[in-house]
Amino acid sequence: MVGPRGVPTVVAAASGWMPVTPPGRQPVRPRHPSLEPLEGHLDDPDVTDLFVNGAAGLFVDRGDGPVRDAGWRATDEEVRDLAVALIGLGGRHIDDATPCVDVRLDGGVRVHAVLPPVSAEGTAISIRLPRLDRPSLGDLHAAGMFDDAARADLDDLIARRENILVTGAAGAGKTTLLASLLGAAPAHERIVTIEDVAELRIDHPHHVRLEARQANIEGAGAIGLARLVREALRMRPDRLVVGECRGEEVRELLSALNTGHDGGAGTVHANSLHDVPARLEALGALAGLDDHAVARQVASAIGFVLHVERGAGGVRRLAGVGRPRVDAAGRLTIEESRWGDL
């Protein structure tokens, strides 16, 4: 298996936010024999994602889409061995009985792997590299992710302790925007974040991170997001955050935000503001909530929905804002708002 050794470069942002390496700061990545084939890309601050598609090759995303690495060579067996090693490095296991696993490595590198036959064309490995910077709202504003009116409203939403839902497609900048918002919270507040794989990097002095746990090889010991939300409520959080709602934990989050826990937040995958109701209804169904119950819970619990998009060249921008409402039929809808009028 052959992996190139790249030379670190710095990304320049234009008309929107893109990840950059802070001046004078060297990349810090975990080092382990399992990572040697990918070492050059791990040290390249331009790289956001790596994808190994079995023996078909390695694809590298530097913000403008995946590009095949012509220098990469690996057999199906070598890619499977790499997946097993990387997942093991994160403290979990992957095998035929558990063929799909997600882990976080030291340093914030996130690895997801899928084994055959679930992955029909050979072992698939997806690696998300952490941002080396922790941009503040001021940094995102200066880079053009949002304008002056939006910046003023975002500051106000944090000061008013509004509950916020950040939506967008994968890689659109949801986690980055959420982290910058939480970083603007007063230093005396206690922030508890709950994630399947811990990714939120918040520049705040009182941040407690909870991470879900996979079952062991006997199928016991799993701790899911819904359980962690309940545990977090006993930790007296000033702000309760679910990094990504993707299942029944949406019920616990909405219940918590509806019982006096203001200043909370979460993220949800959605392609637009108008797709958010359908996405939340689908998640609510997993938790046993019907459409009308979801509408009432969301409209009561969530103050504002912020939608982010990733445009050409990898530029991220805050594309819209809206408020959850219940329509005449009792269903959830998002009423778009204008910056400066929140």
Side-chain angles (χ1 to χ4, degrees):
M1 183 158 42
V2 178
R5 295 178 179 272
V7 178
T9 58
V10 177
V11 175
S15 67
W17 178 80
M18 293 184 68
V20 298
T21 301
R25 181 177 178 184
Q26 295 298 316
V28 177
R29 306 290 191 196
R31 281 297 174 262
H32 185 275
S34 303
L35 293 166
E36 288 180 0
L38 305 167
E39 189 173 31
H41 296 307
L42 295 174
D43 282 337
D44 185 345
D46 288 357
V47 175
T48 62
D49 296 270
L50 300 172
F51 307 103
V52 185
N53 299 341
L58 169 68
F59 293 78
V60 183
D61 191 343
R62 291 181 171 83
D64 52 1
V67 176
R68 181 190 292 272
D69 182 344
W72 174 270
R73 298 289 185 275
T75 65
D76 283 326
E77 183 178 356
E78 288 173 330
V79 174
R80 182 185 176 108
D81 290 343
L82 176 61
V84 171
L86 291 176
I87 297 301
L89 186 58
R92 296 185 178 182
H93 63 275
I94 185 168
D95 52 31
D96 291 339
T98 311
C100 308
V101 181
D102 204 14
V103 298
R104 175 181 55 85
L105 307 184
D106 290 341
V109 176
R110 179 171 177 171
V111 179
H112 180 265
V114 184
L115 300 181
V118 177
S119 176
E121 301 298 325
T123 300
I125 305 173
S126 305
I127 301 174
R128 170 69 59 86
L129 302 185
R131 310 305 186 204
L132 296 178
D133 55 343
R134 298 189 184 191
S136 65
L137 283 177
D139 295 330
L140 299 183
H141 178 216
M145 188 176 190
F146 40 79
D147 59 20
D148 294 345
R151 170 62 197 277
D153 280 339
L154 292 176
D155 285 333
D156 191 46
L157 293 181
I158 293 298
R160 284 157 40 189
R161 297 182 54 80
E162 293 281 359
N163 292 327
I164 296 171
L165 186 66
V166 181
T167 65
K174 298 185 299 297
T175 300
T176 297
L177 178 60
L178 178 56
S180 69
L181 288 166
L182 294 171
H188 66 268
E189 293 186 347
R190 175 176 169 86
I191 300 173
V192 179
T193 60
I194 300 156
E195 299 176 87
D196 186 41
V197 174
E199 286 186 288
L200 276 168
R201 298 162 62 86
I202 304 171
D203 188 11
H204 192 277
H206 199 164
H207 175 204
V208 179
R209 307 168 79 188
L210 301 181
E211 184 178 62
R213 188 173 73 183
Q214 179 192 25
N216 60 24
I217 57 177
E218 286 82 25
I223 299 178
L225 295 181
R227 162 81 180 276
L228 289 180
V229 172
R230 295 192 295 272
E231 297 298 331
L233 292 174
R234 301 184 177 98
M235 300 170 68
R236 215 223 72 184
D238 292 304
R239 293 180 186 266
L240 178 65
V241 180
V242 176
E244 181 183 337
C245 292
R246 60 176 68 181
E248 62 176 339
E249 65 276 0
V250 70
R251 175 183 56 207
E252 276 72 20
L253 176 64
L254 292 175
S255 296
L257 299 183
N258 270 316
T259 54
H261 288 82
D262 53 358
T267 73
V268 167
H269 278 84
N271 292 325
S272 71
L273 274 179
H274 296 296
D275 289 334
V276 172
R279 178 63 174 154
L280 290 175
E281 287 176 355
L283 295 179
L286 296 175
L289 301 176
D290 63 26
D291 296 344
H292 289 69
V294 169
R296 292 192 299 271
Q297 289 276 330
V298 173
S300 174
I302 303 298
F304 290 90
V305 178
L306 308 178
H307 187 73
V308 293
E309 293 180 350
R310 175 177 173 175
V315 174
R316 282 82 165 174
R317 67 186 187 90
L318 182 53
V321 59
R323 303 198 67 165
R325 300 295 192 211
V326 180
D327 66 16
R331 299 285 295 276
L332 180 65
T333 185
I334 303 297
E335 179 183 273
E336 290 195 59
S337 304
R338 296 177 56 184
W339 296 114
D341 295 334
L342 304 188

